Amino acid sequence: MDADSLKSLGTLLFWGVLFFVMMRFGCGAHMMGGHGHGGHGGHGGSGGEKDPVCGMDVDPEKAAGASVHAGKTYYFCSTSCRDQFEQDPRKYLAAIEQNKQQHGGHHHG
């Protein structure tokens, strides 16, 4: 194999590994169990909790993670979302409050 072939193969492997990691642990992990990021983040769910990071409906009994902030337990669809929340919970809670104000405080579901 010449240098160009090795470079092309290395590039292909890099992107393949990156794709695998993102699908397994990143946004693709949200699709496990038929969930996704489309539309309003899962209206019509089973009445579970909403992940404060990505907005997905989460069944507390099947949640990939949980975190307690200011005496309230928040549930997450993935450990990645939980970790992001724990780094700056106020950022995500402020976004939830802003979203409620923009929608007039009404609730879908």
Side-chain angles (χ1 to χ4, degrees):
M1 290 184 108
D2 63 350
D4 286 335
S5 295
L6 286 175
K7 184 178 178 182
S8 295
L9 180 61
T11 301
L12 180 64
L13 287 173
F14 170 78
W15 288 110
V17 168
L18 182 63
F19 179 77
F20 171 78
V21 170
M22 289 303 296
M23 292 305 291
R24 178 65 180 97
F25 302 107
C27 284
H30 299 290
M31 293 181 192
M32 299 296 284
H35 297 294
H37 278 256
H40 288 282
H43 286 312
S46 60
E49 299 288 326
K50 203 167 272 294
D51 184 320
V53 175
C54 69
M56 212 175 93
D57 287 336
V58 178
D59 179 350
E61 293 180 14
K62 297 178 183 176
S67 182
V68 177
H69 178 73
K72 179 172 174 21
T73 303
Y74 296 91
Y75 297 94
F76 302 90
C77 63
S78 69
T79 56
S80 174
C81 282
R82 183 202 59 212
D83 294 345
Q84 290 177 52
F85 177 82
E86 288 179 345
Q87 287 177 356
D88 191 3
R90 289 178 285 170
K91 171 183 170 184
Y92 297 102
L93 298 178
I96 291 170
E97 284 303 313
Q98 182 180 10
N99 191 26
K100 283 181 185 177
Q101 291 175 1
Q102 287 177 348
H103 288 99
H106 69 276
H107 176 72
H108 294 276

XYZ file of all heavy atoms in Angstrom:
813
model
N 0.846 -1.189 0.000
C 0.000 0.000 0.000
C 0.883 1.241 0.000
O 1.866 1.297 0.726
C -0.885 0.041 1.247
C -1.987 -0.994 1.278
S -3.015 -0.782 2.729
C -4.466 -0.141 1.985
N 0.479 2.206 -0.792
C 1.240 3.454 -0.829
C 0.711 4.422 0.238
O -0.277 4.161 0.930
C 1.186 4.069 -2.230
C -0.217 4.456 -2.659
O -1.178 4.092 -1.966
O -0.349 5.129 -3.700
N 1.368 5.551 0.398
C 1.036 6.527 1.443
C -0.372 7.089 1.284
O -1.089 7.279 2.268
C 2.062 7.651 1.448
N -0.797 7.345 0.042
C -2.145 7.894 -0.178
C -3.233 6.900 0.225
O -4.258 7.285 0.791
C -2.330 8.307 -1.639
C -1.574 9.581 -1.988
O -1.315 10.384 -1.060
O -1.247 9.766 -3.181
N -3.006 5.625 -0.063
C -3.984 4.603 0.323
C -4.088 4.486 1.833
O -5.181 4.369 2.385
C -3.594 3.248 -0.263
O -3.659 3.277 -1.668
N -2.940 4.540 2.512
C -2.948 4.474 3.979
C -3.635 5.691 4.579
O -4.374 5.578 5.558
C -1.527 4.349 4.522
C -0.869 2.990 4.341
C 0.576 3.033 4.803
C -1.636 1.921 5.098
N -3.406 6.851 3.995
C -4.054 8.075 4.482
C -5.570 7.979 4.309
O -6.335 8.315 5.216
C -3.505 9.290 3.743
C -4.051 10.594 4.256
C -3.434 11.773 3.529
C -4.033 13.076 4.021
N -3.500 14.232 3.317
N -6.006 7.499 3.149
C -7.440 7.338 2.900
C -8.061 6.327 3.860
O -9.151 6.549 4.395
C -7.684 6.891 1.463
O -7.275 7.883 0.570
N -7.366 5.232 4.073
C -7.857 4.220 5.006
C -7.930 4.766 6.429
O -8.910 4.549 7.140
C -6.955 2.977 4.969
C -7.340 1.828 5.890
C -8.728 1.305 5.536
C -6.311 0.718 5.818
N -6.913 5.520 6.835
C -6.902 6.137 8.168
C -8.052 7.110 8.343
O -8.712 7.141 9.390
N -8.305 7.908 7.320
C -9.417 8.867 7.371
C -10.749 8.133 7.487
O -11.604 8.498 8.299
C -9.407 9.764 6.117
O -8.167 10.462 6.051
C -10.543 10.762 6.144
N -10.922 7.088 6.699
C -12.152 6.298 6.744
C -12.342 5.664 8.127
O -13.443 5.709 8.688
C -12.120 5.218 5.665
C -13.344 4.306 5.599
C -14.583 5.110 5.226
C -13.115 3.184 4.614
N -11.284 5.109 8.670
C -11.376 4.501 10.003
C -11.702 5.543 11.075
O -12.504 5.299 11.971
C -10.080 3.772 10.351
C -9.846 2.463 9.614
C -8.455 1.926 9.915
C -10.906 1.444 9.986
N -11.070 6.705 10.990
C -11.342 7.776 11.951
C -12.818 8.149 11.963
O -13.465 8.187 13.006
C -10.494 9.013 11.629
C -10.897 10.224 12.417
C -10.507 10.358 13.736
C -11.687 11.213 11.854
C -10.895 11.473 14.475
C -12.072 12.319 12.579
C -11.671 12.450 13.900
N -13.385 8.414 10.784
C -14.794 8.813 10.694
C -15.727 7.670 11.091
O -16.777 7.895 11.691
C -15.133 9.343 9.309
C -14.515 10.691 9.092
C -13.491 11.001 8.259
C -14.855 11.909 9.767
N -13.173 12.341 8.362
C -13.997 12.920 9.285
C -15.794 12.251 10.737
C -14.053 14.235 9.727
C -15.857 13.565 11.182
C -14.995 14.539 10.690
N -15.322 6.446 10.759
C -16.131 5.295 11.157
C -16.194 5.139 12.666
O -17.251 4.915 13.242
N -15.047 5.279 13.327
C -15.001 5.179 14.791
C -15.771 6.334 15.423
O -16.539 6.146 16.368
C -13.542 5.134 15.292
C -13.456 5.329 16.792
C -12.886 3.811 14.890
N -15.598 7.538 14.897
C -16.328 8.692 15.421
C -17.839 8.489 15.288
O -18.601 8.751 16.228
C -15.902 9.964 14.690
C -16.558 11.252 15.171
C -16.184 11.539 16.620
C -16.139 12.410 14.282
N -18.274 8.000 14.137
C -19.697 7.733 13.922
C -20.203 6.694 14.930
O -21.255 6.879 15.535
C -19.914 7.242 12.486
C -21.338 6.906 12.169
C -22.256 7.903 11.922
C -21.768 5.587 12.126
C -23.583 7.597 11.643
C -23.077 5.275 11.850
C -23.989 6.282 11.601
N -19.444 5.623 15.120
C -19.841 4.586 16.067
C -19.976 5.155 17.480
O -20.976 4.912 18.170
C -18.827 3.439 16.072
C -19.062 2.452 17.172
C -20.058 1.499 17.070
C -18.309 2.489 18.330
C -20.298 0.598 18.087
C -18.537 1.595 19.363
C -19.531 0.647 19.237
N -18.993 5.928 17.919
C -19.022 6.491 19.271
C -20.215 7.423 19.445
O -20.911 7.367 20.459
C -17.691 7.207 19.583
C -17.778 8.016 20.865
C -16.556 6.188 19.684
N -20.480 8.270 18.446
C -21.608 9.192 18.561
C -22.945 8.453 18.559
O -23.869 8.822 19.279
C -21.582 10.219 17.424
C -20.469 11.234 17.560
S -20.508 12.134 19.118
C -22.059 12.990 18.973
N -23.057 7.403 17.771
C -24.300 6.645 17.753
C -24.482 5.852 19.042
O -25.598 5.674 19.514
C -24.350 5.707 16.548
C -24.456 6.434 15.212
S -25.844 7.573 15.097
C -27.202 6.435 15.073
N -23.411 5.393 19.615
C -23.508 4.573 20.820
C -23.680 5.414 22.080
O -24.449 5.092 22.965
C -22.257 3.688 20.935
C -22.206 2.829 22.175
C -23.343 1.799 22.149
N -23.308 0.978 23.326
C -24.051 1.184 24.417
N -24.876 2.190 24.450
N -23.956 0.379 25.448
N -22.944 6.516 22.183
C -22.919 7.283 23.421
C -23.428 8.711 23.278
O -23.695 9.369 24.270
C -21.490 7.334 23.975
C -20.917 5.983 24.231
C -19.946 5.461 23.398
C -21.355 5.206 25.285
C -19.408 4.206 23.615
C -20.826 3.952 25.509
C -19.857 3.445 24.681
N -23.566 9.212 22.086
C -23.998 10.588 21.873
C -25.466 10.664 21.506
O -26.312 9.963 22.071
N -25.779 11.495 20.540
C -27.169 11.700 20.129
C -27.829 10.420 19.646
O -29.025 10.244 19.813
C -27.250 12.761 19.035
S -27.037 14.421 19.681
N -27.078 9.531 19.042
C -27.652 8.271 18.585
C -28.179 7.424 19.719
O -29.105 6.632 19.547
N -27.620 7.601 20.916
C -28.078 6.845 22.077
C -29.514 7.213 22.435
O -30.236 6.414 23.025
C -27.160 7.092 23.273
N -29.947 8.416 22.051
C -31.315 8.843 22.331
C -32.327 8.049 21.522
O -33.500 8.022 21.845
C -31.497 10.330 22.022
C -30.619 11.211 22.820
N -30.777 11.405 24.160
C -29.546 11.948 22.466
C -29.857 12.227 24.596
N -29.098 12.570 23.597
N -31.868 7.434 20.445
C -32.771 6.689 19.582
C -33.040 5.283 20.099
O -33.886 4.588 19.576
C -32.205 6.626 18.171
C -32.169 7.965 17.517
S -31.524 7.835 15.868
C -31.261 9.548 15.501
N -32.327 4.884 21.117
C -32.548 3.562 21.694
C -33.988 3.486 22.205
O -34.480 4.409 22.823
C -31.588 3.309 22.855
C -30.122 3.336 22.443
S -29.685 2.037 21.308
C -29.619 0.678 22.431
N -34.666 2.438 21.929
C -36.045 2.284 22.389
C -37.038 3.083 21.562
O -38.146 3.331 22.006
N -36.649 3.519 20.364
C -37.580 4.219 19.495
C -37.702 5.700 19.763
O -38.576 6.348 19.243
N -36.841 6.259 20.580
C -36.902 7.689 20.867
C -36.046 8.435 19.874
O -35.112 7.915 19.319
C -36.392 7.969 22.276
C -37.231 7.335 23.333
N -38.518 7.705 23.571
C -36.969 6.318 24.186
C -39.006 6.962 24.557
N -38.083 6.115 24.938
N -36.343 9.695 19.685
C -35.552 10.520 18.785
C -35.656 11.973 19.163
O -36.331 12.340 20.118
N -34.989 12.824 18.402
C -34.980 14.253 18.679
C -35.986 15.008 17.834
O -35.985 16.215 17.842
C -33.586 14.814 18.367
C -32.617 14.610 19.471
N -32.235 15.614 20.308
C -31.954 13.511 19.886
C -31.365 15.153 21.172
N -31.178 13.877 20.941
N -36.822 14.336 17.094
C -37.706 15.018 16.162
C -38.808 15.801 16.844
O -39.177 15.555 17.975
N -39.310 16.782 16.134
C -40.472 17.555 16.567
C -40.305 18.186 17.927
O -39.361 18.889 18.184
N -41.258 17.902 18.807
C -41.246 18.484 20.139
C -40.601 17.574 21.158
O -40.829 17.728 22.354
C -42.672 18.817 20.586
C -43.252 19.988 19.866
N -42.933 21.278 20.171
C -44.120 20.053 18.832
C -43.581 22.098 19.382
N -44.305 21.377 18.549
N -39.839 16.586 20.744
C -39.099 15.760 21.688
C -39.927 14.697 22.369
O -39.703 14.412 23.528
N -40.902 14.145 21.692
C -41.583 12.993 22.254
C -42.916 13.263 22.902
O -43.202 12.724 23.946
N -43.745 14.124 22.332
C -45.095 14.293 22.875
C -45.847 12.984 22.788
O -45.607 12.161 21.928
C -45.867 15.352 22.083
C -45.407 16.733 22.380
N -45.236 17.212 23.651
C -45.069 17.750 21.556
C -44.836 18.458 23.604
N -44.712 18.806 22.342
N -46.762 12.814 23.678
C -47.561 11.608 23.662
C -46.862 10.445 24.325
O -47.205 9.309 24.110
N -45.870 10.746 25.172
C -45.141 9.702 25.872
C -45.978 9.092 26.976
O -47.162 9.360 27.128
N -45.354 8.287 27.796
C -46.068 7.552 28.824
C -46.244 8.357 30.103
O -46.545 7.797 31.146
C -45.308 6.252 29.128
O -44.001 6.571 29.592
N -46.055 9.681 30.050
C -46.254 10.495 31.239
C -45.052 10.477 32.157
O -45.174 10.769 33.333
N -43.886 10.142 31.647
C -42.668 10.121 32.439
C -42.117 11.524 32.627
O -42.810 12.519 32.459
N -40.861 11.597 32.955
C -40.169 12.867 33.145
C -39.554 13.306 31.830
O -39.371 12.505 30.927
C -39.070 12.688 34.200
C -39.587 12.260 35.556
C -40.322 13.375 36.271
O -39.939 14.552 36.121
O -41.281 13.067 36.988
N -39.193 14.580 31.742
C -38.559 15.104 30.550
C -37.086 15.371 30.857
O -36.752 15.987 31.858
C -39.247 16.384 30.106
C -39.024 16.676 28.636
C -39.967 17.753 28.140
C -41.284 17.237 27.659
N -41.293 16.411 26.501
N -36.203 14.849 29.999
C -34.765 15.091 30.125
C -34.535 16.592 29.947
O -34.889 17.150 28.918
C -34.022 14.291 29.045
C -32.514 14.387 29.128
O -32.004 15.493 29.410
O -31.854 13.371 28.882
N -33.962 17.287 30.942
C -33.792 18.738 30.831
C -32.742 19.164 29.810
O -32.702 20.320 29.429
C -33.389 19.162 32.246
C -32.846 17.945 32.884
C -33.543 16.780 32.247
N -31.917 18.244 29.351
C -30.873 18.587 28.385
C -31.402 18.515 26.955
O -31.295 19.460 26.188
C -29.629 17.692 28.561
C -28.597 17.965 27.479
C -29.023 17.903 29.942
N -32.007 17.379 26.578
C -32.448 17.202 25.184
C -33.967 17.271 25.028
O -34.465 17.322 23.917
C -31.939 15.874 24.632
S -32.717 14.424 25.365
N -34.716 17.246 26.140
C -36.162 17.365 26.065
C -36.900 16.067 25.814
O -38.114 16.066 25.634
N -36.181 14.961 25.804
C -36.807 13.669 25.524
C -37.602 13.175 26.735
O -37.239 13.445 27.874
C -35.690 12.664 25.219
C -36.082 11.616 24.243
S -34.670 10.593 23.855
C -34.946 9.321 25.057
N -38.697 12.468 26.502
C -39.443 11.843 27.584
C -38.641 10.664 28.112
O -38.104 9.872 27.341
C -40.808 11.352 27.096
C -41.781 12.491 26.853
O -41.604 13.569 27.462
O -42.709 12.312 26.061
N -38.572 10.557 29.450
C -37.783 9.510 30.080
C -38.621 8.833 31.153
O -39.230 9.498 31.994
C -36.503 10.089 30.740
C -35.702 9.010 31.429
C -35.655 10.814 29.714
N -38.667 7.517 31.116
C -39.304 6.731 32.162
C -38.310 6.652 33.320
O -37.219 6.111 33.160
C -39.631 5.333 31.637
C -40.291 4.432 32.672
O -40.340 4.812 33.870
O -40.743 3.354 32.285
N -38.642 7.205 34.500
C -37.697 7.200 35.623
C -37.161 5.809 35.971
O -36.013 5.686 36.392
C -38.510 7.782 36.780
C -39.532 8.640 36.117
C -39.876 7.918 34.836
N -37.960 4.784 35.768
C -37.509 3.434 36.095
C -36.493 2.899 35.092
O -35.753 1.972 35.397
C -38.697 2.486 36.177
C -39.612 2.790 37.346
C -40.794 1.834 37.435
O -40.765 0.788 36.764
O -41.726 2.147 38.176
N -36.478 3.471 33.892
C -35.564 3.005 32.848
C -34.529 4.053 32.475
O -33.808 3.890 31.489
C -36.359 2.613 31.600
C -37.319 1.463 31.835
C -38.110 1.165 30.590
C -39.126 0.063 30.845
N -39.979 -0.170 29.674
N -34.454 5.137 33.238
C -33.545 6.235 32.921
C -32.091 5.772 32.955
O -31.701 4.944 33.770
C -33.739 7.381 33.913
N -31.306 6.326 32.047
C -29.876 6.001 31.987
C -29.104 6.701 33.091
O -27.989 6.313 33.415
C -29.307 6.400 30.633
N -29.709 7.718 33.687
C -29.049 8.450 34.757
C -30.020 9.367 35.455
O -31.104 9.661 34.946
N -29.629 9.810 36.639
C -30.440 10.746 37.412
C -29.503 11.683 38.158
O -28.354 11.343 38.437
C -31.341 10.009 38.394
N -30.005 12.859 38.478
C -29.221 13.836 39.216
C -30.171 14.646 40.087
O -31.267 14.993 39.658
C -28.475 14.756 38.242
O -27.679 15.684 38.946
N -29.736 14.950 41.296
C -30.544 15.748 42.208
C -29.969 17.156 42.245
O -28.763 17.347 42.447
C -30.560 15.138 43.623
C -31.355 16.018 44.576
C -31.125 13.732 43.599
N -30.835 18.134 42.006
C -30.427 19.541 42.065
C -31.510 20.316 42.791
O -32.688 20.213 42.435
C -30.218 20.101 40.654
C -29.853 21.553 40.654
N -28.615 21.998 41.038
C -30.573 22.651 40.335
C -28.582 23.314 40.946
N -29.770 23.732 40.523
N -31.133 21.057 43.807
C -32.064 21.871 44.595
C -33.236 21.038 45.108
O -34.379 21.482 45.096
C -32.546 23.078 43.795
N -32.958 19.805 45.515
C -33.975 18.953 46.104
C -34.888 18.246 45.118
O -35.797 17.537 45.512
N -34.683 18.434 43.833
C -35.506 17.781 42.809
C -34.640 16.797 42.023
O -33.515 17.098 41.677
C -36.115 18.813 41.854
C -36.973 18.191 40.757
C -37.692 19.257 39.961
C -38.457 18.796 38.756
N -38.874 17.477 38.603
N -35.201 15.634 41.734
C -34.491 14.635 40.948
C -34.857 14.799 39.481
O -36.034 14.873 39.126
C -34.852 13.207 41.407
O -34.551 13.086 42.794
C -34.060 12.165 40.624
N -33.838 14.876 38.639
C -34.006 14.977 37.195
C -33.516 13.672 36.584
O -32.511 13.114 37.014
C -33.208 16.157 36.639
C -33.707 17.482 37.163
C -33.173 18.036 38.326
C -34.736 18.159 36.526
C -33.641 19.239 38.824
C -35.218 19.365 37.018
C -34.661 19.894 38.166
O -35.138 21.078 38.660
N -34.236 13.190 35.564
C -33.915 11.918 34.919
C -33.430 12.171 33.498
O -33.882 13.113 32.837
C -35.137 11.011 34.913
C -35.581 10.667 36.314
C -36.559 11.410 36.959
C -34.987 9.623 37.002
C -36.943 11.114 38.250
C -35.362 9.312 38.297
C -36.341 10.065 38.921
O -36.713 9.769 40.205
N -32.529 11.293 33.026
C -31.862 11.511 31.753
C -31.913 10.281 30.869
O -31.855 9.150 31.351
C -30.400 11.924 31.994
C -30.305 13.157 32.839
C -30.229 13.061 34.216
C -30.345 14.411 32.259
C -30.188 14.194 35.003
C -30.303 15.544 33.038
C -30.217 15.448 34.417
N -31.968 10.537 29.550
C -32.028 9.456 28.570
C -30.659 8.821 28.368
O -30.559 7.683 27.923
C -32.550 9.981 27.248
S -31.462 11.209 26.513
N -29.584 9.538 28.695
C -28.233 9.010 28.524
C -27.319 9.602 29.586
O -27.613 10.649 30.165
C -27.691 9.357 27.134
O -27.448 10.753 27.038
N -26.213 8.918 29.824
C -25.243 9.442 30.791
C -24.598 10.718 30.258
O -24.193 11.576 31.039
C -24.165 8.389 31.119
O -23.549 7.963 29.908
C -24.764 7.196 31.849
N -24.546 10.857 28.941
C -24.003 12.070 28.345
C -24.852 13.290 28.727
O -24.321 14.327 29.110
C -23.936 11.917 26.830
O -23.543 13.118 26.222
N -26.176 13.159 28.635
C -27.065 14.256 29.021
C -26.929 14.551 30.519
O -26.895 15.709 30.923
C -28.510 13.930 28.670
S -28.897 14.161 26.914
N -26.843 13.497 31.334
C -26.682 13.698 32.777
C -25.391 14.460 33.064
O -25.379 15.402 33.859
C -26.670 12.366 33.512
C -26.568 12.552 35.032
C -26.035 11.347 35.751
N -24.715 11.022 35.241
C -24.227 9.795 35.168
N -24.942 8.767 35.554
N -23.020 9.574 34.710
N -24.305 14.075 32.417
C -23.014 14.724 32.654
C -23.049 16.189 32.243
O -22.516 17.056 32.939
C -21.902 13.991 31.906
C -21.663 12.585 32.451
O -22.144 12.261 33.564
O -20.997 11.799 31.746
N -23.702 16.486 31.106
C -23.831 17.877 30.661
C -24.620 18.689 31.687
O -24.269 19.825 32.008
C -24.521 17.949 29.306
C -23.672 17.434 28.166
C -24.442 17.474 26.860
O -24.998 18.504 26.491
N -24.475 16.347 26.163
N -25.706 18.102 32.199
C -26.542 18.781 33.184
C -25.741 19.066 34.451
O -25.802 20.168 35.009
C -27.759 17.917 33.513
C -28.650 18.507 34.576
C -29.588 19.476 34.249
C -28.567 18.088 35.897
C -30.418 20.013 35.224
C -29.385 18.616 36.870
C -30.319 19.588 36.535
N -24.992 18.087 34.921
C -24.248 18.239 36.173
C -23.141 19.280 36.064
O -22.753 19.869 37.067
C -23.698 16.892 36.634
C -24.806 15.983 37.144
C -24.325 14.613 37.586
O -23.168 14.235 37.253
O -25.105 13.918 38.253
N -22.644 19.540 34.865
C -21.627 20.568 34.684
C -22.203 21.965 34.879
O -21.519 22.853 35.378
C -20.990 20.464 33.301
C -20.065 19.285 33.173
C -19.487 19.155 31.763
O -19.827 19.910 30.848
N -18.602 18.195 31.595
N -23.460 22.186 34.505
C -24.082 23.504 34.632
C -25.603 23.380 34.676
O -26.295 23.693 33.713
C -23.657 24.398 33.464
C -24.052 25.856 33.669
O -24.609 26.197 34.740
O -23.811 26.662 32.758
N -26.156 22.914 35.811
C -27.608 22.688 35.885
C -28.430 23.951 35.636
O -29.479 23.894 35.004
C -27.841 22.181 37.312
C -26.528 22.044 37.957
C -25.478 22.551 37.037
N -27.955 25.095 36.088
C -28.728 26.329 35.923
C -28.940 26.668 34.449
O -29.978 27.212 34.082
C -28.049 27.484 36.651
C -28.170 27.328 38.177
C -27.464 28.429 38.881
N -26.024 28.144 38.767
C -25.067 28.977 39.092
N -25.351 30.164 39.550
N -23.804 28.642 38.981
N -27.973 26.329 33.607
C -28.103 26.586 32.165
C -29.327 25.869 31.609
O -30.129 26.457 30.880
C -26.833 26.108 31.455
C -26.906 26.115 29.952
C -25.618 25.547 29.369
C -25.731 25.296 27.887
N -24.523 24.673 27.343
N -29.486 24.601 31.959
C -30.586 23.802 31.406
C -31.914 24.142 32.085
O -32.946 24.156 31.426
C -30.252 22.320 31.512
C -29.041 21.985 30.694
C -27.799 21.803 31.282
C -29.129 21.916 29.308
C -26.673 21.538 30.513
C -28.009 21.659 28.533
C -26.787 21.474 29.142
O -25.682 21.229 28.379
N -31.895 24.446 33.357
C -33.135 24.809 34.044
C -33.633 26.172 33.578
O -34.836 26.384 33.447
C -32.922 24.768 35.559
C -32.542 23.385 36.110
C -32.308 23.448 37.603
C -33.590 22.341 35.764
N -32.708 27.088 33.289
C -33.102 28.399 32.760
C -33.730 28.240 31.375
O -34.706 28.917 31.047
C -31.895 29.322 32.694
N -33.189 27.330 30.569
C -33.747 27.093 29.230
C -35.159 26.527 29.329
O -36.035 26.876 28.537
C -32.848 26.146 28.436
N -35.407 25.664 30.310
C -36.744 25.102 30.508
C -37.720 26.210 30.886
O -38.822 26.291 30.354
C -36.717 24.006 31.589
C -35.955 22.775 31.078
C -38.130 23.627 32.024
C -35.676 21.745 32.153
N -37.312 27.080 31.803
C -38.183 28.178 32.225
C -38.464 29.125 31.065
O -39.593 29.569 30.887
C -37.554 28.942 33.399
C -37.656 28.204 34.704
C -39.097 27.859 35.070
O -39.988 28.736 34.971
O -39.337 26.703 35.450
N -37.440 29.420 30.269
C -37.629 30.301 29.117
C -38.600 29.672 28.123
O -39.469 30.343 27.583
C -36.291 30.577 28.445
C -36.398 31.513 27.267
C -35.049 31.765 26.610
O -34.066 31.107 26.906
N -35.007 32.725 25.716
N -38.490 28.370 27.901
C -39.378 27.663 26.984
C -40.822 27.703 27.495
O -41.756 27.903 26.730
C -38.903 26.224 26.795
C -39.630 25.525 25.660
O -40.098 26.165 24.737
N -39.717 24.220 25.743
N -41.014 27.545 28.799
C -42.355 27.610 29.385
C -42.959 29.000 29.169
O -44.140 29.121 28.837
C -42.304 27.309 30.878
C -42.146 25.839 31.191
C -42.144 25.651 32.695
C -41.865 24.208 33.073
N -41.796 24.033 34.535
N -42.155 30.038 29.357
C -42.650 31.404 29.181
C -43.008 31.686 27.736
O -44.002 32.339 27.438
C -41.613 32.407 29.683
C -41.457 32.380 31.179
C -40.326 33.294 31.664
O -39.678 33.958 30.875
N -40.099 33.290 32.958
N -42.199 31.162 26.795
C -42.463 31.395 25.385
C -43.731 30.684 24.926
O -44.399 31.137 24.021
C -41.276 30.912 24.537
C -40.074 31.806 24.642
C -38.884 31.268 23.864
O -38.888 30.126 23.427
N -37.853 32.090 23.716
N -44.050 29.565 25.549
C -45.252 28.812 25.181
C -46.422 29.149 26.091
O -47.403 28.431 26.119
C -44.965 27.306 25.218
C -44.104 26.845 24.099
N -42.768 26.636 24.236
C -44.406 26.583 22.789
C -42.269 26.247 23.077
N -43.237 26.205 22.182
N -46.305 30.229 26.852
C -47.414 30.659 27.701
C -47.692 29.734 28.859
O -48.769 29.751 29.433
N -46.739 28.884 29.220
C -46.897 28.000 30.353
C -47.802 26.808 30.113
O -48.110 26.074 31.022
N -48.273 26.608 28.876
C -49.156 25.466 28.620
C -48.332 24.195 28.479
O -47.157 24.222 28.189
C -50.043 25.695 27.398
C -49.327 25.708 26.094
N -48.710 26.827 25.592
C -49.125 24.719 25.190
C -48.161 26.545 24.431
N -48.383 25.273 24.163
N -48.999 23.083 28.678
C -48.319 21.786 28.654
C -48.969 20.891 27.615
O -50.190 20.801 27.538
C -48.418 21.127 30.028
C -47.833 19.767 30.068
N -46.482 19.545 30.022
C -48.414 18.536 30.150
C -46.255 18.230 30.073
N -47.411 17.602 30.148
N -48.150 20.257 26.802
C -48.649 19.278 25.829
C -48.641 17.918 26.468
O -47.734 17.568 27.184
C -47.737 19.228 24.593
C -47.748 20.478 23.809
N -48.704 20.745 22.870
C -46.938 21.547 23.826
C -48.456 21.914 22.320
N -47.389 22.431 22.887
N -49.577 17.100 26.125
C -49.513 15.715 26.567
C -50.705 15.297 27.214
O -51.374 14.734 27.731
